[in-house]
Amino acid sequence: MTTKSNEKVFIKGNHAVVEAALDAGCRFYAGYPITPQNEIPEFMSKRMHEEKGTFIQAESELISVNMVFGAAAAGARAMTTSSSPGISLMQEGISYMAGCELPAVLVNVMRGGPGLGNIQPSQSDYFQATRPGHGDFRMITLAPHNIQEMYNFTFDAFDLADKYRNPVMILADGLLGQLMENVELDRSRKPLYLNTPKPWALTGAKGRDGQRILSLLMQPGVLEKHNFDLKKKYDLMTKDEIKFEAQGMENNPDYLIVAFGTVARISKGTIRLAAEEGLKAGLFRPITVWPFPYAQLKEAAKKVKKIFVLEMNMGQMLDDVKIAVEDASKIEFYGRPGGGVPTAEELLKFIKGKVK
Amino acid sequence: MASEKTVYKKPKSLTDVNFTYCWGCGHSTVHKLIAEIVDELNIRETLIGVAPVGCAVFAYDFWNFDVTEAAHGRAPVVATAIKRVHPDKTVFCYQGDGDMVSIGLAEIMHTANRGENLTVIFINNTNYGMTGGQLAPTSLMGQVTTTSPRGREAALHGYPIKMAELLTQFEGVKYIERVKVTDAASVIKTKKALKKAFLNQINGVGFSFVEVLSSCPANWRMDPVTANAHIDKNIAAYYPLGLIKDVK
Amino acid sequence: MIEQIIIAGSGGQGVLTLGIFLARIAVYEGKNAAWLPSYGAEKRGGFSFCSLVISDKEIYSPVVETPDTLIVFDQRAIESYAARAAEKTMIIENTSLIPNDTAGKGKKVLVAASGIAKALQSDKVTNIVLAGAYLAAKKIFTFQNAETIMKDMLGSKAGSLMQKNIDALKSGFESVK
């Protein structure tokens, strides 16, 4: 195997996802066309062939996600990608993978909804990412805010999926999918657990009895125990995998912006503009929107006068912020639904209107 | 003392769990035939099965080889992925008529059209067995079920889908045969067809499909003998038995 | 420094490529760049648009409201985007396809880019003529670095197409000087 050196490339978020998946050892992809993530299956069809892996253009999102289920059951690192309406269809397979404890990576390049909505950037799927599917299960969900993170987090997602034998979602949006930025591809990064044996995988019962991948547990008490066992796993994720970024907290800010993904990066511009006008604001950016950094946000929110929750939806992460902070009366919410992307100036104007 | 000779034994590919299917149900017969074939072809250690949702959802309790569940109707695409990941393994899926012809129609059609090198076993008992005998796309005209109390009517329910015939048009489909398991002769024929469907995959021939007309006495409200006679007389009259497609 | 650019025109004119070209020169010069296209249904009707932010610092919002530079390829583009211009905005107009200049605020740079491209016997380099005009008008990038990136972007086609593109870049550059 040749050692590859790192590469700096100017690429789209959707392309960064492909490079990260392949660098992380993913050799199975199934996906279905939907805007604004089409560059992923398009580019993947070319790159996966070069890496001698399997690319399948599935005939629906139900088919993509169930192909990923099959590939994961067979022991492969597998991924599918889609955008909001397609993710709704995939919730079936996500729940089955959680129940069967199968590792897989899903990327959601969110667009406006409900229904067919539009194809503009949106954060309308915070709920269906952090409260996914049917049944009592959880899924680590990482929210990148630039193209470097689209690459890094997609890579991380494969390691996390294998570490916990659970699906992991990347929660991006149309802006991050389409945006081109400079990215360092870490070609020397070693995937964790890639070569760790998967004794549970179905590879043929050589020298042993047959084994099963299943989530159907009908005997009295067995499913209840399974759910308790899963909870232990989710507790470990909550203990060890929470990621967030806090900016400007060292200046004891008067105001705290809580935002994720695209809105978080725009908010950084708002904070810069606010400083020019003498307003001291900090940013708290959940990177894992599940597990949500409740304790860390509670701490960051203690001393501020107001908390501004800013989202490209009508208040979804807002619920988690309310759970986290002690005094919900300090919270102000501003949302742009249906594909609206706020500007830094627009957010500043809202904040100024509330602090007068 | 007379010497003893083994003339019959349980296949290695069956577990010690007793079949839990209803009296007269065709599933147990087909399960056992599959296990015998797996033993005879010596593929128990290189085989991966995909079980459906429906009565055969517990198939993995009875088979002693690797088996995964699949969401309702999705078995062919789960099998597709497994085969692509392990092209050297033998992969089959086992589905009932509610699973395949109703909720999973897209999955089976596209898998057939892609010409995946898989073995697909289709158990057609003309109703939803597991959930209590509701109308299936395969239910016969006039068939009374728990959701068609006045019998199947064309104006309300359309006509029964002939799955085996439907799949013949796909170039990627290499072998289709319809069989039944109502008597010793038909069971032997079924075994031959199933074996061919597995051998086709092993020999790289491609997508092979066996439809088994199977009885469901419990939901049909018949005793097993009458149920088998119903297949011979009525069901096989609508769903013709025999070889339907065979591309060498 | 921060430079916010909007480029607008119609499909096939090389609007998006011009944006990527300028972005990649910026990256080559050690700056940050963020390029965002219109996509999907927005493209219906042949409209083409991209925004580009170039900065020494981390780029927060890639969405451009009020551009420092507005590059418009045709009449429809100027009519759609002239209102975004402020006094500080430099508007680079392809006058060949803009019979009726509707721009109000802003400093205008008028280039008959399609005409110049035609004279070079290639309509396809209209965007490169405008790139040349941009280099000369804004003086952010060096001509030499633009050449390097152009060669890289042309890739295997550089042999046959490089000279024509260099000529287009030069012509655009000189039309402003």
Side-chain angles (χ1 to χ4, degrees):
Chain A
M1 204 174 128
T2 53
T3 316
K4 291 175 179 169
S5 56
N6 292 1
E7 266 178 74
K8 275 214 160 185
V9 288
F10 188 71
I11 53 173
K12 276 191 176 191
N14 284 338
H15 290 164
V17 165
V18 173
E19 292 295 345
L22 295 170
D23 285 349
C26 170
R27 290 296 177 273
F28 186 97
Y29 173 92
Y32 184 78
I34 183 171
T35 309
Q37 62 86 56
N38 293 318
E39 292 83 358
I40 300 179
E42 286 171 1
F43 190 47
M44 189 65 93
S45 68
K46 171 177 179 283
R47 289 284 290 113
M48 190 59 98
H49 181 73
E50 290 166 1
E51 301 295 339
K52 298 182 172 58
T54 300
F55 167 90
I56 306 180
Q57 178 167 328
E59 294 86 359
S60 73
E61 287 89 351
L62 277 167
I63 294 180
S64 331
V65 77
N66 282 290
M67 283 180 168
V68 165
F69 175 101
R77 275 201 163 178
M79 175 167 85
T80 185
T81 62
S82 190
S83 179
S84 310
I87 297 292
S88 298
L89 288 175
M90 289 185 181
Q91 291 290 3
E92 173 188 273
I94 296 172
S95 172
Y96 276 74
M97 288 192 280
C100 293
E101 297 196 77
L102 293 176
V105 174
L106 301 105
V107 179
N108 181 357
V109 184
M110 288 184 284
R111 57 188 255 181
L116 207 46
N118 64 16
I119 57 171
Q120 297 308 309
S122 180
Q123 297 181 328
S124 54
D125 293 350
Y126 183 91
F127 283 156
Q128 75 157 336
T130 59
R131 281 87 171 139
H134 71 278
D136 202 355
F137 77 96
R138 295 293 190 173
M139 170 171 69
I140 295 177
T141 301
L142 299 158
H145 85 322
N146 59 32
I147 308 311
Q148 185 68 56
E149 288 184 346
M150 289 285 273
Y151 175 81
N152 293 352
F153 293 177
T154 303
F155 197 122
D156 295 341
F158 282 95
D159 289 349
L160 288 167
D162 274 345
K163 182 175 180 182
Y164 293 103
R165 284 182 59 186
N166 204 57
V168 175
M169 181 174 279
I170 300 295
L171 191 62
D173 63 48
L175 186 145
L176 292 165
Q178 297 297 323
L179 183 67
M180 280 179 106
E181 283 186 313
N182 217 19
V183 177
E184 185 164 354
L185 306 180
D186 188 354
R187 301 297 200 191
S188 56
R189 179 174 169 185
K190 294 267 181 296
L192 304 174
Y193 316 107
L194 179 60
N195 299 315
T196 309
K198 295 176 171 175
W200 48 266
L202 302 189
T203 55
K206 196 162 177 58
R208 57 165 170 78
D209 281 337
Q211 60 193 20
R212 285 87 191 77
I213 299 285
L214 54 87
S215 63
L216 181 70
L217 301 164
M218 300 274 270
Q219 299 85 346
V222 176
L223 183 60
E224 187 168 8
K225 181 183 179 301
H226 180 53
N227 273 271
F228 279 127
D229 290 343
L230 290 177
K231 174 67 163 63
K232 280 182 202 152
K233 196 166 81 169
Y234 304 147
D235 286 345
L236 272 182
M237 296 174 192
T238 306
K239 183 174 144 289
D240 294 337
E241 307 302 344
I242 284 176
K243 281 176 88 173
F244 65 97
E245 180 191 0
Q247 197 187 73
M249 298 311 294
E250 63 285 357
N251 303 327
N252 294 316
D254 295 318
Y255 309 107
L256 184 66
I257 293 175
V258 187
F260 73 96
T262 289
V263 184
R265 68 180 286 159
I266 294 170
S267 298
K268 288 179 177 178
T270 304
I271 289 169
R272 186 157 66 187
L273 293 172
E276 287 166 13
E277 302 196 15
L279 288 175
K280 272 204 298 181
L283 172 71
F284 188 91
R285 171 170 77 101
I287 290 173
T288 49
V289 288
W290 196 90
F292 191 86
Y294 291 111
Q296 295 82 353
L297 176 56
K298 182 181 178 182
E299 189 58 33
K302 261 182 186 157
K303 290 180 191 158
V304 300
K305 293 178 195 158
K306 271 201 183 299
I307 300 156
F308 293 96
V309 181
L310 310 175
E311 298 183 71
M312 291 184 336
N313 60 47
M314 283 320 286
Q316 298 192 17
M317 183 178 66
L318 177 62
D319 289 0
D320 280 327
V321 178
K322 283 179 179 169
I323 292 170
V325 304
E326 278 169 355
D327 181 4
S329 70
K330 292 202 288 192
I331 297 173
E332 301 286 352
F333 175 77
Y334 184 76
R336 286 286 303 272
V341 180
T343 63
E345 293 80 2
E346 177 184 346
L347 297 176
L348 179 63
K349 194 176 157 200
F350 169 75
I351 290 169
K352 280 164 67 183
K354 294 289 177 187
V355 304
K356 285 280 156 59
Chain B
M1 200 170 123
S3 69
E4 290 181 3
K5 194 172 154 221
T6 304
V7 290
Y8 183 84
K9 63 176 181 181
K10 185 174 75 71
K12 271 195 312 190
S13 296
L14 284 181
T15 63
D16 290 334
V17 179
N18 289 332
F19 289 129
T20 47
Y21 296 107
C22 310
W23 24 258
C25 170
H27 276 305
S28 336
T29 309
V30 182
H31 280 22
K32 192 196 73 172
L33 292 179
I34 290 170
E36 285 177 1
I37 291 163
V38 171
D39 280 11
E40 287 162 23
L41 298 177
N42 197 24
I43 54 173
R44 196 194 73 85
E45 297 192 339
T46 53
L47 182 70
I48 301 168
V50 183
V53 170
C55 289
V57 72
F58 294 118
Y60 43 70
D61 283 344
F62 315 119
W63 285 326
N64 186 9
F65 44 76
D66 281 5
V67 186
T68 181
E69 73 173 25
H72 201 21
R74 321 291 175 224
V77 300
V78 170
T80 295
I82 295 171
K83 184 71 180 180
R84 298 281 189 109
V85 172
H86 295 305
D88 55 327
K89 303 288 191 296
T90 306
V91 182
F92 77 100
C93 42
Y94 185 104
Q95 295 182 270
D97 45 320
D99 193 80
M100 175 185 286
V101 190
S102 191
I103 196 169
L105 195 58
E107 282 72 12
I108 187 62
M109 297 294 261
H110 288 298
T111 302
N113 189 42
R114 271 186 261 105
E116 303 289 343
N117 186 23
L118 292 170
T119 303
V120 178
I121 298 158
F122 169 43
I123 306 296
N124 181 1
N125 63 10
T126 76
N127 74 167
Y128 283 79
M130 179 66 126
T131 46
Q134 294 85 359
L135 183 87
T138 46
S139 299
L140 296 187
M141 296 313 294
Q143 185 173 337
V144 173
T145 72
T146 53
T147 51
S148 58
R150 292 166 302 283
R152 182 173 192 152
E153 299 171 54
L156 283 179
H157 312 109
Y159 297 88
I161 295 179
K162 292 176 177 168
M163 203 57 206
E165 284 79 358
L166 195 57
L167 291 176
T168 54
Q169 64 177 303
F170 294 117
E171 296 271 337
V173 174
K174 301 302 178 189
Y175 169 61
I176 302 175
E177 185 153 358
R178 186 181 283 120
V179 292
K180 60 175 185 171
V181 285
T182 56
D183 53 29
S186 63
V187 168
I188 290 166
K189 262 194 186 162
T190 297
K191 185 170 175 184
K192 224 176 123 194
L194 292 171
K195 197 164 190 174
K196 179 167 172 160
F198 278 102
L199 277 169
N200 272 357
Q201 182 180 165
I202 292 163
N203 296 328
V205 173
F207 189 95
S208 297
F209 183 90
V210 178
E211 174 173 341
V212 185
L213 302 181
S214 174
S215 73
C216 187
N219 285 310
W220 294 349
R221 311 283 190 267
M222 294 177 190
D223 66 78
V225 176
T226 313
N228 276 342
H230 175 61
I231 291 177
D232 295 339
K233 191 163 152 253
N234 304 318
I235 299 182
Y238 186 82
Y239 296 109
L241 297 165
L243 185 65
I244 293 168
K245 185 173 184 179
D246 193 11
V247 182
K248 291 287 181 309
Chain C
M1 58 80 74
I2 182 158
E3 161 82 347
Q4 301 189 87
I5 304 170
I6 285 177
I7 308 172
S10 301
Q13 289 176 333
V15 170
L16 303 186
T17 309
L18 172 57
I20 294 172
F21 181 42
L22 298 178
R24 288 199 48 193
I25 304 168
V27 170
Y28 186 68
E29 296 196 350
K31 299 174 176 71
N32 291 312
W35 172 92
L36 191 64
S38 56
Y39 57 86
E42 285 181 324
K43 290 192 297 195
R44 303 287 180 270
F47 207 82
S48 187
F49 164 91
C50 67
S51 63
L52 174 60
V53 181
I54 297 162
S55 178
D56 296 329
K57 299 198 192 101
E58 186 182 345
I59 296 166
Y60 298 139
S61 179
V63 179
V64 177
E65 283 296 302
T66 308
D68 300 301
T69 305
L70 173 65
I71 304 176
V72 278
F73 276 68
D74 55 24
Q75 188 67 39
R76 187 171 54 169
I78 198 166
E79 284 171 11
S80 304
Y81 285 93
R84 295 273 196 102
E87 292 301 342
K88 65 162 186 178
T89 307
M90 175 177 284
I91 309 173
I92 301 177
E93 300 179 21
N94 174 21
T95 55
S96 310
L97 298 180
I98 302 177
N100 178 22
D101 183 350
T102 57
K105 287 179 197 164
K107 292 162 279 188
K108 293 179 188 180
V109 174
L110 305 178
V111 188
S114 300
I116 292 170
K118 250 190 205 115
L120 293 167
Q121 264 121 48
S122 176
D123 284 346
K124 285 185 178 169
V125 294
T126 303
N127 59 343
I128 302 300
V129 175
L130 289 168
Y134 176 84
L135 295 183
K138 292 298 273 201
K139 298 184 182 65
I140 294 174
F141 308 129
T142 72
F143 194 89
Q144 199 189 349
N145 287 340
E147 275 186 316
T148 305
I149 294 302
M150 179 185 285
K151 193 170 177 194
D152 194 55
M153 283 179 72
L154 286 171
S156 59
K157 292 180 195 152
S160 57
L161 297 177
M162 188 67 185
Q163 195 51 51
K164 189 157 277 177
N165 279 278
I166 292 286
D167 291 346
L169 196 66
K170 268 190 191 143
S171 306
F173 193 87
E174 279 157 13
S175 74
V176 173
K177 267 210 294 198

